[in-house]
């Protein structure tokens, strides 16, 4: 059978089970079978599938029709231009989390510029911690883009850190990302310049309405944030100011509709607070900074933030 014909048939079967983005989902399964990237896939849609490939596709489709996420079926997910190994021990990295990485890189660049202006030729690389690292996607992306930075990655889940270790080795940063088992900031051995965190922020009521791909397969520990979704964020805010160096920064990813509430919580402990919106205009990242001499200016919202 032609690849193009099979692509359409698989898409239709996925749609019949209420699965969204079926053309993309069908493409991902076919690419797994054919072992090709997206560019090559679209040059081969006129080709034929062998019987062996059809049988393999049937096996993958059977799994996807149970709503098992394609990232778990394929064992990989792209994030910030890098390919990460994922399985059911960790949350699947989301595109919106790339904004958290982008803002952390931006702040790290500001620190480097400040150090250079003070006559420090090495730029005084920042010390960064990724809290609740899961697959390690955030920590690895930062390490790849900040080769001089000292990076810690913590998680309360030992099995999640096993996945993070796989990804650190995969991208050649295992010697620069220190994985630590423990609750939030407790295992960190030194003060930090930057803390980044994508903590569980799904509220109790939202947990009841999650898509089956999430509720049935992704780890609840990485999702459940308490009654209003902010339990872990509050706990981190209690610890963060004492763990940050002067002029340090805390960056928090938040759920849809949570940005203003989280910004007010951050403002109680930090002297400067901003909200970065994603490409859909949703407040996605709350940034608090311990700026010397700044006394709680109004919270600013950057709704025009665009990634290159």
């Amino acid at each position: 059978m032609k690849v193009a014909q099979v692509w359409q048939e698989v898409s239709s079967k996925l749609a019949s089970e209420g699965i969204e983005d079926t053309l993309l989902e069908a493409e991902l399964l076919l690419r797994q079978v054919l072992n090709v990237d997206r560019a090559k896939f679209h040059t081969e849609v006129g080709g034929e599938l062998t019987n062996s490939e059809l049988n393999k596709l049937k096996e993958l489709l059977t799994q996807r029709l149970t709503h098992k996420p394609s990232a778990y079926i394929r064992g990989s997910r792209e994030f910030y231009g890098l390919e990460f190994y994922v399985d059911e021990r960790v949350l699947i990295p989301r595109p919106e989390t790339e904004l958290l990485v982008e803002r952390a890189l931006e702040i790290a660049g500001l620190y480097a510029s400040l150090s250079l202006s003070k006559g420090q030729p090495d730029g005084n690389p920042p010390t960064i911690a990724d809290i609740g690292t899961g697959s390690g996607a955030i920590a690895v992306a930062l390490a790849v883009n900040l080769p001089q930075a000292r990076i810690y990655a913590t998680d309360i889940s030992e099995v999640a850190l096993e996945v993070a270790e796989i990804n650190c080795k995969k991208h050649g940063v295992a010697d620069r990302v220190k994985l630590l088992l423990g609750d939030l900031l407790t295992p960190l051995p030194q003060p930090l310049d930057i803390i980044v965190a994508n903590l569980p922020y799904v509220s109790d009521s939202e947990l009841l309405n999650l898509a089956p791909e999430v509720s049935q397969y992704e780890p609840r520990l990485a999702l459940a944030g308490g009654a209003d979704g902010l339990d872990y964020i509050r706990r981190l805010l209690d610890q963060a100011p004492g763990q940050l160096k002067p002029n340090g920064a805390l960056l928090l990813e938040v759920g849809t509709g949570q940005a203003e509430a989280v910004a007010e919580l951050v403002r109680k402990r930090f002297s400067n607070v901003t909200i970065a919106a994603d490409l859909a205009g949703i407040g996605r990242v709350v940034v608090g900074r311990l700026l010397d001499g700044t006394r709680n200016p109004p919270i600013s919202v950057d709704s025009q933030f665009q990634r290159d």
Side-chain angles (χ1 to χ4, degrees):
M1 293 181 68
K2 295 283 188 183
V3 172
Q5 179 184 348
V6 175
W7 187 13
Q8 291 295 330
E9 290 183 2
V10 170
S11 176
S12 296
K13 288 180 181 178
L14 293 171
S16 70
E17 291 297 320
I19 293 171
E20 298 179 352
D21 299 323
T22 56
L23 280 174
L24 175 59
E25 291 284 344
E27 176 190 321
L28 291 172
L29 297 180
L30 278 162
R31 281 167 50 192
Q32 178 76 2
V33 169
L34 297 170
N35 192 29
V36 296
D37 61 20
R38 189 171 197 185
K40 191 171 183 181
F41 172 79
H42 284 280
T43 65
E44 296 186 355
V45 291
E48 299 270 352
L49 285 166
T50 66
N51 287 334
S52 175
E53 289 169 339
L54 285 169
N55 289 332
K56 184 176 180 181
L57 177 62
K58 183 178 180 180
E59 293 175 5
L60 299 182
L61 178 59
T62 298
Q63 294 183 64
R64 189 65 186 95
L65 289 173
T66 67
H67 291 271
K68 184 175 183 177
S70 58
Y72 290 154
I73 295 171
R74 300 173 67 232
S76 67
R77 181 62 171 256
E78 183 180 339
F79 177 80
Y80 211 74
L82 303 169
E83 200 71 26
F84 288 90
Y85 172 76
V86 292
D87 62 28
E88 292 175 50
R89 290 174 287 181
V90 296
L91 197 71
I92 299 168
R94 267 61 168 182
E96 55 265 30
T97 303
E98 294 184 357
L99 179 59
L100 185 66
V101 174
E102 196 74 46
R103 274 296 157 98
L105 291 174
E106 183 181 78
I107 291 173
L110 293 174
Y111 285 136
S113 297
L114 180 62
S115 297
L116 288 170
S117 70
K118 293 181 178 179
Q120 298 171 320
D122 64 354
N124 193 22
T127 302
I128 304 172
D130 172 26
I131 309 303
T133 194
S135 67
I138 294 170
V140 170
L142 291 172
V144 168
N145 286 278
L146 296 170
Q148 302 303 316
R150 296 179 293 274
I151 298 177
Y152 298 99
T154 77
D155 207 292
I156 200 170
S157 168
E158 188 170 1
V159 295
L161 289 178
E162 293 170 359
V163 176
E165 183 178 14
I166 292 170
N167 286 314
C168 286
K169 291 178 178 177
K170 177 182 177 72
H171 293 286
V173 297
D175 60 332
R176 296 192 292 109
V177 177
K178 178 68 173 178
L179 301 175
L180 300 171
L181 178 65
D183 184 40
L184 299 178
L185 304 182
T186 54
L188 294 169
Q190 67 179 102
L192 305 161
D193 294 296
I194 302 171
I195 295 172
V196 297
N198 179 18
L199 298 172
Y201 56 65
V202 180
S203 68
D204 290 345
S205 61
E206 290 172 326
L207 283 172
L208 302 175
N209 299 304
L210 292 174
E213 282 84 353
V214 180
S215 62
Q216 294 177 20
Y217 290 97
E218 297 199 74
R220 186 182 178 89
L221 182 64
L223 295 165
D228 63 355
L230 305 183
D231 283 1
Y232 285 96
I233 288 174
R234 288 190 183 92
R235 289 182 53 222
L236 182 64
L237 285 170
D238 286 340
Q239 301 174 19
Q243 190 69 45
L244 283 168
K245 298 177 184 178
N247 294 314
L250 170 69
L251 296 89
L252 298 167
E253 179 174 330
V254 299
T256 301
Q258 293 178 337
E260 294 293 342
V262 172
E264 288 297 340
L265 291 173
V266 174
R267 194 169 187 263
K268 294 176 182 178
R269 298 165 177 83
F270 287 79
S271 54
N272 185 276
V273 182
T274 60
I275 298 171
D278 62 20
L279 296 178
I282 298 170
R284 184 63 63 184
V285 175
V286 178
V287 182
R289 299 188 65 189
L290 298 172
L291 299 180
D292 293 338
T294 304
R295 295 184 177 276
N296 289 335
I299 296 167
S300 62
V301 181
D302 177 6
S303 60
Q304 303 300 318
F305 181 74
Q306 299 282 334
R307 295 193 296 273
D308 293 332

